Amino acid sequence: MTFPLGSLRAEGPESASLRSPSVAPALSWRAQAALLAGAVAWLLLLLAFATHSGADPGFSTSGSGAAVHNRAGLIGAWLSDIGFFLAGYSAWWVIVVSARGWLGALARALRSAAVGTPASDPGAVPRWPLWVGLALVLAASSSLEWTRLYQWESQMAGGNAGGVLGWALGRSSQNLLGFAGSGVLWIAVLVAGVSMALRFSWLHMAEALGSAIEGLRTRRVSRIEKAEDLRLGEEAVRERDEVIEVEHELQEQH
């Protein structure tokens, strides 16, 4: 094996840029600490929401005086109570969107480490659509919850399905647009907010779904055609064997 003479030179600024792309610098300790802190905070919030109990003390209630049931402790009880008090069960969207945000931050950090550029690249995707999308999703979901899922009111902190946000926006929209009109409005807002918060395009999703369905149809037609070709081939072989057998019998008779 031989090497070019240039590969024996000491690495400088120019030669460093010619390194193999498979050798990527590691994440900085600040990026690792931020990602770890974000993951811990997300897990604690998920645990707080999942183990919420109306008997625990919180923002909207003093509790029953018994031991705290929330697995995230007193802080978790207060966080879950505030979340459900403000937005009802729609507060779960915070868990979904924050998970998407953390995964996006992880991808940006790994990408910046791989190419050797700072994580705050001016060409990076702005983060404001995520926050605007989350606000739209919470507003739409809590309003739909208040106008459609009012049977959950007895389970909600504050006694309002959709929380304070759903009570304010849902009641106002229903008074102005009626039951059906408010539903159409908030469903449209929810669709737009989900697209912004989770950073995907409904058009691209529809196109991908259509391509997948078309691919399945094409493969099915191809299998049918192959099966038909195989059947015709076997039938042709069988007919040829019958003709040969008849010719052989005629030759024996003569």
Side-chain angles (χ1 to χ4, degrees):
M1 182 179 295
T2 60
F3 299 91
L5 294 177
S7 64
L8 301 178
R9 298 174 184 172
E11 287 192 356
E14 297 180 357
S15 61
S17 62
L18 301 177
R19 291 176 182 171
S20 173
S22 61
V23 181
L27 292 176
S28 65
W29 68 269
R30 291 184 179 179
Q32 295 182 37
L35 289 170
L36 179 60
V40 171
W42 183 85
L43 288 173
L44 288 175
L45 188 61
L46 174 63
L47 187 63
F49 276 28
T51 59
H52 172 76
S53 174
D56 292 338
F59 176 78
S60 65
T61 177
S62 59
S64 62
V68 176
H69 297 84
N70 198 295
R71 296 297 182 182
L74 185 60
I75 294 179
W78 271 77
L79 285 176
S80 62
D81 184 76
I82 291 174
F84 293 138
F85 177 79
L86 292 177
Y89 285 125
S90 299
W92 278 99
W93 280 109
V94 176
I95 301 294
V96 177
V97 175
S98 59
R100 172 64 180 85
W102 185 87
L103 291 174
L106 176 63
R108 286 192 299 272
L110 293 176
R111 186 164 53 248
S112 64
V115 300
T117 58
S120 57
D121 186 3
V125 179
R127 300 180 185 179
W128 65 263
L130 184 145
W131 298 109
V132 173
L134 177 58
L136 294 177
V137 166
L138 287 177
S141 181
S142 59
S143 298
L144 290 171
E145 185 178 337
W146 186 85
T147 56
R148 268 72 182 170
L149 303 176
Y150 42 82
Q151 67 270 20
W152 290 354
E153 288 187 346
S154 60
Q155 307 173 20
M156 281 292 97
N160 288 307
V164 175
L165 188 61
W167 175 80
L169 296 178
R171 187 175 67 167
S172 300
S173 62
Q174 187 166 290
N175 291 336
L176 293 173
L177 301 173
F179 183 78
S182 65
V184 172
L185 170 66
W186 292 121
I187 289 174
V189 173
L190 181 64
V191 169
V194 168
S195 178
M196 295 179 65
L198 301 183
R199 294 190 176 182
F200 73 93
S201 171
W202 290 105
L203 294 177
H204 292 166
M205 177 177 290
E207 183 179 358
L209 180 60
S211 299
I213 294 175
E214 180 64 21
L216 290 175
R217 190 192 67 83
T218 302
R219 288 193 292 270
R220 181 174 179 274
V221 170
S222 178
R223 287 196 299 268
I224 293 175
E225 291 178 349
K226 289 181 180 179
E228 182 65 15
D229 291 342
L230 181 61
R231 185 187 67 80
L232 292 176
E234 292 176 349
E235 184 176 348
V237 171
R238 185 169 59 254
E239 291 177 354
R240 185 189 62 182
D241 292 341
E242 292 177 355
V243 171
I244 293 176
E245 184 177 354
V246 171
E247 291 178 351
H248 181 68
E249 290 178 354
L250 290 176
Q251 289 178 358
E252 289 181 349
Q253 290 178 359
H254 291 294

